[in-house]
Amino acid sequence: MEKKLQSLVHSAKNEIEKVMTMNQLLDVKAKYLGKKSEFNSFMQGLKDLSSEERPLVGKLINEAKQQISQFLDDKKVEIERKKIDQLLKAQTIDISLPGRAFNLGHKHVLAKTVEEIEDIFVGLGYVVKEGPEVESDKYNFEMLNLPKDHPAREMQDSFYITEELLLRTHTSPVQVRSLLENVDKEPLKIICPGVVYRKDDDDQTHSHQFMQVEALVVDKTTTLADLKGTLLLLARKLFGENRQIRLRPSYFPFTEPSVEVDVSCFKCNGDGCSMCKNTGWIEILGAGMVNNNVLSAAGFDPEIYQGFALGMGVERIAMLKYGIDDIRLLYQNDLRFNSQF
Ligand code: 2NL
């Protein structure tokens, strides 16, 4: 009996080892442990044994059954693991495929230049101020020492909405508003970036709409020396630490004295080249000490207060910095141009 069981376990083991699929495994299980199995006939035979033999043989049969069950269970685990391995292999992602191109947008070169200028002044403690683009004749001209019949109005011909309303020709009215708001006459340090309009024929270097940044400082002790120091710092931050500046006398109705500011050529270092038209200098902005009439009109006593102001065209700064030769490129939204910066 024992021999018979042993050979049964042995042949079950052999057959289970050869099994490849779940169905085959079920067949083998039925063959060895099912109702019509040899095993079952051993169980049936137990009742014919004596009461001494029955527990001994029963134990042997049980042990054999447990062994066969264990072989079947192990095989089942093995088949399932193989199936998962095959699935994983079939589902691997081919990471050698090129990815899809993703176009990330970025700031326009003009916006970048405005922010760069803002950052320089904010670093010096200035506050950024904005105001309306549709202005009154009073704030845009009269408060800035440009009365109605003044010949200097010719320099800033505008787009009029009514006799009294126009598109601002500079951001100076924003500064006038700040002076008027400042009833306690606190020291003032502001920059005013924004779009301005002038009736002009568009060409390579002119546009009827452009961006300006103006700066204004008013205090009791502000002098031309403060203006020069600020201009030198601005020129070096924008065009390189080795730059020098040069001030030339000029005229603006809202400043006295007025200056035109040049920076030493950053291409030839002042030796003379096509960029600076062989002069070694490049004009970058206009500035001056705030005209007494402007201070008075805004309620600041020029005997007590004085200040400086400067104004620059952002397009001009951007064109110089990035070597752009036509102002119109800045407005055409051509990605071939925009994506270069
Ligand atoms: C330029 C020159 C300038 C100012 C703007 C200003 C403003 C006030 C008082 C006095 Cl409230 N001045 N602004 C002064 C000098 C020059 O702009 O070429 N801009 C494009």
Side-chain angles (χ1 to χ4, degrees):
M1 186 67 175
E2 201 175 339
K3 281 251 168 69
K4 271 189 185 169
L5 281 169
Q6 267 173 9
S7 86
L8 196 64
V9 169
H10 189 72
S11 64
K13 189 180 175 210
N14 276 344
E15 260 187 72
I16 291 168
E17 262 170 16
K18 286 182 204 130
V19 159
M20 303 291 283
T21 67
M22 229 29 149
N23 282 339
Q24 287 171 1
L25 192 67
L26 288 174
D27 289 346
V28 176
K29 186 177 179 182
K31 178 174 169 189
Y32 283 94
L33 301 180
K35 271 194 182 132
K36 289 177 185 160
S37 65
E38 214 175 327
F39 214 92
N40 215 30
S41 59
F42 288 144
M43 302 279 271
Q44 301 297 323
L46 271 179
K47 62 179 187 301
D48 304 326
L49 296 176
S50 69
S51 54
E52 286 95 51
E53 274 180 316
R54 202 177 294 142
L56 290 174
V57 176
K59 192 171 169 243
L60 286 175
I61 292 177
N62 251 341
E63 278 170 7
K65 191 181 173 184
Q66 267 169 21
Q67 277 180 300
I68 294 174
S69 295
Q70 188 63 52
F71 295 145
L72 288 166
D73 286 349
D74 289 352
K75 194 67 184 184
K76 191 178 170 203
V77 170
E78 188 190 313
I79 291 172
E80 276 168 353
R81 187 170 300 149
K82 262 193 194 143
K83 198 171 168 191
I84 289 172
D85 280 352
Q86 272 171 358
L87 274 177
L88 283 176
K89 239 175 226 159
Q91 289 178 355
T92 46
I93 297 163
D94 183 357
I95 55 166
S96 68
L97 274 175
R100 289 202 186 114
F102 182 73
N103 286 325
L104 193 60
H106 62 83
K107 280 187 180 141
H108 190 272
V109 62
L110 252 188
K112 262 166 71 167
T113 308
V114 175
E115 286 180 18
E116 189 179 340
I117 297 165
E118 282 177 8
D119 285 348
I120 294 167
F121 282 99
V122 168
L124 292 170
Y126 287 67
V127 172
V128 181
K129 290 268 182 182
E130 288 179 299
E133 288 174 29
V134 175
E135 261 297 354
S136 62
D137 185 275
K138 185 180 166 197
Y139 285 155
N140 192 80
F141 288 131
E142 281 176 55
M143 295 284 287
L144 287 153
N145 198 30
L146 276 155
K148 282 225 157 71
D149 52 356
H150 199 291
R153 280 204 183 196
E154 284 277 300
M155 284 158 58
Q156 295 190 19
D157 201 2
S158 180
F159 295 96
Y160 282 84
I161 288 145
T162 66
E163 279 280 304
E164 287 302 316
L165 279 182
L166 54 112
L167 297 182
R168 67 183 182 189
T169 57
H170 42 195
T171 57
S172 310
V174 183
Q175 287 152 292
V176 169
R177 287 165 181 273
S178 294
L179 287 170
L180 288 170
E181 276 169 20
N182 186 359
V183 286
D184 295 329
K185 312 282 184 283
E186 297 286 343
L188 191 81
K189 272 167 90 174
I190 55 171
I191 49 161
C192 304
V195 178
V196 300
Y197 306 83
R198 291 184 190 177
K199 194 180 166 300
D200 219 343
D201 290 324
D202 293 354
D203 63 23
Q204 227 177 311
T205 53
H206 295 83
S207 172
H208 63 280
Q209 170 185 327
F210 64 97
M211 289 207 73
Q212 200 189 22
V213 176
E214 286 192 43
L216 174 70
V217 174
V218 175
D219 203 343
K220 289 176 183 167
T221 57
T222 307
T223 69
L224 188 70
D226 297 316
L227 173 60
K228 283 177 75 174
T230 306
L231 290 169
L232 184 59
L233 181 137
L234 177 68
R236 289 183 172 171
K237 291 266 186 211
L238 283 176
F239 296 106
E241 286 304 319
N242 294 327
R243 301 283 73 77
Q244 294 296 336
I245 55 163
R246 178 175 80 169
L247 307 189
R248 286 177 289 111
S250 185
Y251 172 78
F252 300 109
F254 24 86
T255 46
E256 179 62 34
S258 302
V259 293
E260 217 82 62
V261 183
D262 298 340
V263 62
S264 58
C265 183
F266 43 84
K267 197 170 174 192
C268 64
N269 218 4
D271 295 343
C273 69
S274 61
M275 181 108 200
C276 57
K277 297 190 192 94
N278 267 320
T279 65
W281 297 96
I282 298 169
E283 185 184 324
I284 53 167
L285 57 89
M289 299 307 291
V290 180
N291 189 298
N292 284 351
N293 291 342
V294 175
L295 287 171
S296 296
F300 283 72
D301 183 351
E303 295 294 328
I304 302 172
Y305 297 95
Q306 50 195 14
F308 69 72
L310 59 92
M312 69 194 110
V314 181
E315 280 82 350
R316 180 167 173 77
I317 304 291
M319 287 167 78
L320 289 171
K321 269 183 78 91
Y322 297 97
I324 299 161
D325 61 8
D326 193 324
I327 195 170
R328 291 164 293 200
L329 289 165
L330 293 166
Y331 311 122
Q332 286 162 349
N333 272 340
D334 187 332
L335 282 178
R336 289 170 302 182
F337 172 80
N338 287 1
S339 55
Q340 288 179 55
F341 308 99

